Amino acid sequence: MTPKTTPMTMIQALRSAMDVMLARDPNVVVYGQDVGFFGGVFRCTEGLQAKYGKSRVFDAPISEGGIVGTAVGMGAYGLRPVVEIQFADYFYPASDQIVSEAARLRYRSAGDFTAPITIRMPCGGGIYGGQTHSQSPEALFTHVCGLRTVMPSNPYDAKGLLIAAIECDDPVIFLEPKRLYNGPFDGHHDKPVVPWSKHPLGEVPEGHYTVPLESASVFRPGSELTVITYGTMVFVSEAAAIETGIDAEIIDLRSIWPLDLDTLVNSVKKTGRCVVVHEATRTSGFGAELTALVQEHCFYHLEAPIERVAGWDTPYPHAQEWAYFPGPARVGAAFKRAMEK
Amino acid sequence: MTPKTTPMTMIQALRSAMDVMLARDPNVVVYGQDVGFFGGVFRCTEGLQAKYGKSRVFDAPISEGGIVGTAVGMGAYGLRPVVEIQFADYFYPASDQIVSEAARLRYRSAGDFTAPITIRMPCGGGIYGGQTHSQSPEALFTHVCGLRTVMPSNPYDAKGLLIAAIECDDPVIFLEPKRLYNGPFDGHHDKPVVPWSKHPLGEVPEGHYTVPLESASVFRPGSELTVITYGTMVFVSEAAAIETGIDAEIIDLRSIWPLDLDTLVNSVKKTGRCVVVHEATRTSGFGAELTALVQEHCFYHLEAPIERVAGWDTPYPHAQEWAYFPGPARVGAAFKRAMEK
Amino acid sequence: MTQYEPLRLYVPEPTGRPGRHTDFSYLHLSPAGEVRRPPVDTQPADTNDLAYELVRVLDDTGRAVGPWAAATDPQLLRRGLRAMMKTRIFDARMLIAQRQKKMSFYMQCLGEEAIAVAHALALDSGDMCFPTYRQQGLLLAREDVDMVEMICQLLSNERDPMKGRQLPVMYSYKRAGFFSISGNLATQFIQAVGWAMAAAIKGDTRIASAWIGDGATAEADFHTALTFAHVYRAPVILNVVNNQWAISTFQAIAGGEGTTFAARGVGCGIASLRVDGNDFLAVHAATRWAAERARRNLGPTLIEWVTYRAGPHSTSDDPSKYRPADDWAHFPLGDPIARLKTHLIAIGAWSEQEHEAAQKELEAQVAAAQKQAESYGTLTDGHMRSAAEMFEDVYKDMPEHLRRQRQQLGV
Amino acid sequence: MTQYEPLRLYVPEPTGRPGRHTDFSYLHLSPAGEVRRPPVDTQPADTNDLAYELVRVLDDTGRAVGPWAAATDPQLLRRGLRAMMKTRIFDARMLIAQRQKKMSFYMQCLGEEAIAVAHALALDSGDMCFPTYRQQGLLLAREDVDMVEMICQLLSNERDPMKGRQLPVMYSYKRAGFFSISGNLATQFIQAVGWAMAAAIKGDTRIASAWIGDGATAEADFHTALTFAHVYRAPVILNVVNNQWAISTFQAIAGGEGTTFAARGVGCGIASLRVDGNDFLAVHAATRWAAERARRNLGPTLIEWVTYRAGPHSTSDDPSKYRPADDWAHFPLGDPIARLKTHLIAIGAWSEQEHEAAQKELEAQVAAAQKQAESYGTLTDGHMRSAAEMFEDVYKDMPEHLRRQRQQLGV
Ligand SMILES: Cc1ncc(C[n+]2csc(CCOP(=O)(O)OP(=O)(O)O)c2C)c(N)n1
Ligand SMILES: Cc1ncc(C[n+]2csc(CCOP(=O)(O)OP(=O)(O)O)c2C)c(N)n1
Ligand SMILES: [Mg+2]
Ligand SMILES: [Mg+2]
């Protein structure tokens, strides 16, 4: 019997994941700034406090360090806290607790204590949020061993990955591309927003299911070119493929690190050409690691240099947002360069 | 007339740089944990408080965030603070002030305010310091636009780069490989330590001079293979070159980011082979960016995949330190792999 | 087996919620005029009582009473009243402009105008404020900041002094003693201490003034600021604006229950005051006291300003979801503009007619500024700073890689 | 032109430096027995006086006096004395082993033994401590922690329970209520609050105890811990060990001048005590009081333990460079072991002979444990955990890339 599905936005899918896990596991708690009574500034936790009570779902002081620090302590106790950082741009005060503590606790104590925590954070631009409501800091987390970094691109994956993250015994950084909350945004900011209800990946099972960590999805099969990407850029890459007419195979990493290397290596070996796309700043972005991995594993199959398309190496500007954002035109141009050589 | 030089350890060279700048520029101030009366746990600031007084050189509370935060404020006022983070492993509490503030202040205020600050931090392992006294976090800084990241490998460069950093109007992260403080360590931890007084780069001019930022040095010319590296790994790579007999050209980046791209691109175009070496954890380390840059700029010159040698993707262990450290054997093996194919 | 009950998690709640009135007795108000005014060289630990009381000057009838009532020039008070009115008018118009999509975002300071305005008038020019996004009054109280320029930033148009890079309300006016506002909460609090330390290192006479909201006091930089200010006796005023809310979060979640934000200062060895932030005269007097301490090398002062965030947090917020819709109407410290107006009329330095005339004049002023600013473009009409400028000011000099990227963008 | 003198930067200094005696009057001691003992359900704000006084039980003649002097079982006191002696002997031997290069590093707690030991004996098993590197007394006071295992970690040998991954003194003993020690200061302070919140969420009866040094209170996590503990009334004891020094840095640089670390707690709405940390009875009584508050859902208690770091910071430190060499000899709160010994002898529950015998017995015990541990290897003799283990425990299950790296290393 196939499970019952409902059309959900990404916000509803994330909420549903937390709802399922709060109901299934008494050790799951959810907290963060404004997540309690109000239900979060993006409304991801709306209704959960009323349903599960104030000691399972509650507001936290404006202290990302305190939120993650208490989560580490709760994890050490045996809970599975799911905390929200209001915007990924605000994780920095929690860096020490994330990097020096959550990520290393199992290792340094030889497994005596662990930190099975999930840290949710909306990321990415495209909402005129300026430099402090638009960042995509995933690369920083991938340099920290012990962390898992995940970024879904659609409601189905969002729910399945969030449940997998909550059930995972490692600390998981769960990045949510906020521009995808309400629909599959393809980078054409001047066109009307398409809602998730119009997209097959907006059909989400109601109960418990997981999308396993470390598994990429071939979002769009193709033969001429491999595109490795994640988050919002999945849809932008799709638009670029359609607009350029290039038969690109688009791989949605879903788990950024540790990742599903085989899927991407197999694809590049098949196509011989590769474009890496992300919204984050280019230099030392995760595209650098992807480029390095591909050239290490597929060197003799590559027919052209691997192209990187990314945000410019500047803070995310406010007014020039769309000149900053790596939209379909820039991505498409890279596809063409990768095909020309 | 050539300037008078003196043999100096790296510690003496760094101290000399601060001494020169404290004397030349009344806006230079030096502070950090234990740097005042005591002169720093590595003694880099010894004698400076006695010479320049307590309001130019002073102890700070154990708060990396406060140290960098006050430095940003002092920079906005017009000073040039030079602050010490006792170990690079402890910069995390200052992340928000470094990333969101120092790096972005000029941009977000359109130049109205700037943060001309220098943040010194000893980095790297090899002293049985375990996971919290051994880290090399440079990659994290290179992903943050607005920052400059610098790492000297010898006393001459250390002084010249530190003066350049202090005089620079941008915020500079100044990483000091502590294993090089007293001598050019080549990774053979079981051999006696060679002091800087026995090395030509331990001859340091007494007065003011700079090593320009964004300039790499060809540490060892060669024709068969290009090694791109920095810090301690410069000497480890040299040892590997000698031991393997491979005529490797070793490039010491000195400025990690922004970097001197031409020097490395020219070298790789010449040799056709490239190994990137750093002590930091491999995944999303700066080696990833270097690999990506080289394959982007030298794709058609490359005769073999670019090899990366780096610390393993684990925290820096204590007892297994030398199994973790990418010593001459591991580096040499990569040289051979790069030559074989 | 155990003699103890199970432990329970306590989670604070406001007394009022949509459909349920707030019981404001939690505020612990002191009657106007009753709190002592110690000499400026008082010992920090001796201000403990002041951290729990509430310094107030204006009583319910608009009279200035008690030891904090200074003989303030009515001219200055009239200036203050006009600046508060201007601020409120400015906010109201910009809100409308945001709804008309001329700008992406706006944040008003409705109900909190006295704090920034009276503070600005009590500082010297040359002093440096490190504000949050809710101290536009610091700028609007000054004669030397052009409203047209401010609105150009709000509209992100081609004359935006921040070159389009910042959110609308994140001003920077070094020449007007107004530090660049950060989107990351609290960071400015410790930077202000650094600026003040720099002034002390250089033997300057200018002081710093740091700003933070009740909610943001939970951030690390609040603590580091108190620590560094105390240790080095930095010449800085540490302002905590307790407007009872941090977006949807009541101030008890930031730690306001059973204690005060001012009490944090005393614990850290900093002289501290808790002051009625809707009382223009109290704000002015307390700021003067703190500034005097700073200038006399007596060290920092922390001031908790008790007020109420009358409007939504920002144009993205809807407070009716989490608090009584008419909460402000019941807030016991009232409206700062109405209170100063009553006082000025009571002392014969103002009249209803003058008030009405000022209101009209200021409305016209703001409208004219807006009109002029809009002639340089708005967010949506494409008249914005060029994309090429996006690559500038990342570094002092543009490095090679940014030149290449600019070229790639083709601008 | 200006009426003000130039500003000056104030930088605190200790009164004593090498060659110059310390004036310890800065400590503000209360006479033994003089500080009141409020009921456990006292309001946090009402503990303000206690945050500036010093709770002491043992007077100069070794008598237990005042309201904090509980009728403590002499058996427990003898146990405490022996545990303190064992701790001191353990430290002394390990110091020598470090000088012999059998281990890379060591940190002793000389002079501070009473705090961890009496605390451990006042807690229940199941309670969880979040210690710093200077609370080895918490482990050594217990019967259920094997010294041999501890020394194996110190020696980084093949039986090191931390598998060689941690610095010698960074123990982890979940089963003994001892959280994994971090090299990054202060992080454990907020984690303890999280653990306590978890206990409250689950309706547990176990409480948490958080530890931090005077120096590390300047870190953010001290502040976040106080904030979260206060807001959620977490069942946690917040211990600040003020041993006057943070490596070379005097406690005034951490903010101890003109105030106390206990006073921070009161400001944050937390019941706070300042206690003689070298007085075993005072430590035991204060811990009991705080634990009782936590267990009765009355919320957190902050305790500043006043003591002195008698030894170097670590084996990498030389305190004669920054403080008088004989400073400890003049420290007015004396030596915790000598003081408890005097008391026990005074009440007839101990004698010089018993003391000498205990000393010998404990020395033999520690020596035997060391010998056994050394038989499993030392840092330098190569008997260490395998390099393959280096790749384990990064994640619960080893991901592909770590398998590849382990393979590359050829282990
Ligand atoms: C580090 C950080 N965390 C979270 C936010 C999101 N945020 C913006 S304003 C705000 C509430 C601040 O409340 P308060 O400090 O009381 O100031 P007020 O808005 O009441 O003036 C929050 C949570 C942020 N900007 N920065
Ligand atoms: C985040 C961080 N910053 C700096 C250090 C270096 N460090 C280790 S111990 C120490 C002094 C701590 O002093 P205190 O907190 O008073 O504890 P004590 O050593 O006196 O017990 C310092 C600065 C560190 N370990 N972590
Ligand atoms: Mg507020
Ligand atoms: Mg100490």
Side-chain angles (χ1 to χ4, degrees), chain D residues 116-137:
Chain D
V117 167
H119 195 83
L121 299 184
L123 290 183
D124 287 359
S125 91
D127 294 339
M128 183 63 74
C129 286
F130 288 73
T132 81
Y133 44 74
R134 229 181 280 288
Q135 276 84 53
Q136 52 265 60

Side-chain angles (χ1 to χ4, degrees), chain B residues 67-90:
Chain B
I67 289 170
V68 177
T70 49
V72 172
M74 289 182 195
Y77 179 94
L79 301 192
R80 288 191 181 272
V82 182
V83 298
E84 178 177 304
I85 303 290
Q86 203 161 75
F87 286 85
D89 317 58
Y90 304 143

Side-chain angles (χ1 to χ4, degrees), chain B residues 60 87 201 252 264:
Chain B
F87 286 85
L201 290 166
D252 178 355
L264 51 111

Side-chain angles (χ1 to χ4, degrees), chain C residues 8-189:
Chain C
R8 297 180 298 276
L9 189 75
Y10 174 80
V11 181
E13 269 289 319
T15 52
R17 281 295 189 192
R20 194 172 72 230
H21 277 307
T22 301
D23 172 2
F24 280 109
S25 67
Y26 77 85
L27 284 174
H28 295 288
L29 308 180
S30 314
E34 293 232 332
V35 176
R36 70 191 179 90
R37 182 182 187 282
V40 290
D41 61 354
T42 191
Q43 284 306 305
D46 295 339
T47 61
N48 194 53
D49 56 328
L50 301 171
Y52 296 93
E53 302 286 334
L54 192 73
V55 172
R56 303 173 69 184
V57 171
L58 290 173
D59 70 10
D60 292 345
T61 66
R63 281 180 323 151
V65 294
W68 291 88
T72 316
D73 179 7
Q75 184 51 34
L76 181 137
L77 297 181
R78 274 198 303 266
R79 228 182 108 197
L81 182 65
R82 286 176 60 96
M84 290 200 285
M85 292 166 74
K86 184 169 144 195
T87 303
R88 189 167 293 181
I89 293 164
F90 187 89
D91 276 354
R93 284 198 75 97
M94 295 307 117
L95 259 189
I96 294 168
Q98 195 279 337
R99 272 192 228 115
Q100 294 167 335
K101 299 207 188 320
K102 290 174 182 168
M103 59 186 71
S104 62
F105 179 77
Y106 192 71
M107 297 180 97
Q108 51 176 335
C109 64
L110 183 67
E112 307 176 30
E113 295 90 346
I115 301 168
V117 167
H119 194 84
L121 298 184
L123 290 182
D124 286 358
S125 89
D127 294 338
M128 184 64 73
C129 286
F130 287 73
T132 81
Y133 44 74
R134 229 181 281 288
Q135 277 85 49
Q136 51 267 60
L138 292 173
L139 291 172
L140 291 162
R142 296 180 70 116
E143 318 283 303
D144 57 352
V145 178
D146 183 6
M147 267 196 288
V148 177
E149 195 181 329
M150 289 174 68
I151 302 173
C152 284
Q153 174 171 351
L154 297 174
L155 297 169
S156 306
N157 68 21
E158 59 198 14
R159 295 219 181 169
D160 172 0
M162 293 302 107
K163 301 191 185 168
R165 295 189 194 131
Q166 267 285 35
L167 278 187
V169 301
M170 308 282 184
Y171 308 106
S172 177
Y173 283 92
K174 189 176 191 172
R175 61 181 154 84
F178 191 97
F179 184 72
S180 158
I181 294 175
S182 176
N184 296 64
L185 289 173
T187 50
Q188 71 286 348
F189 217 58

Side-chain angles (χ1 to χ4, degrees), chain A residues 27 59 77 101 107-108 112, chain D residues 172 180 182 202 204 232 390:
Chain A
N27 289 324
D59 283 336
Y77 178 94
E101 300 299 314
Y107 192 80
R108 77 165 193 240
D112 200 25
Chain D
S172 178
S180 156
S182 177
K202 298 299 282 185
D204 202 336
Y232 302 107
M390 184 168 70

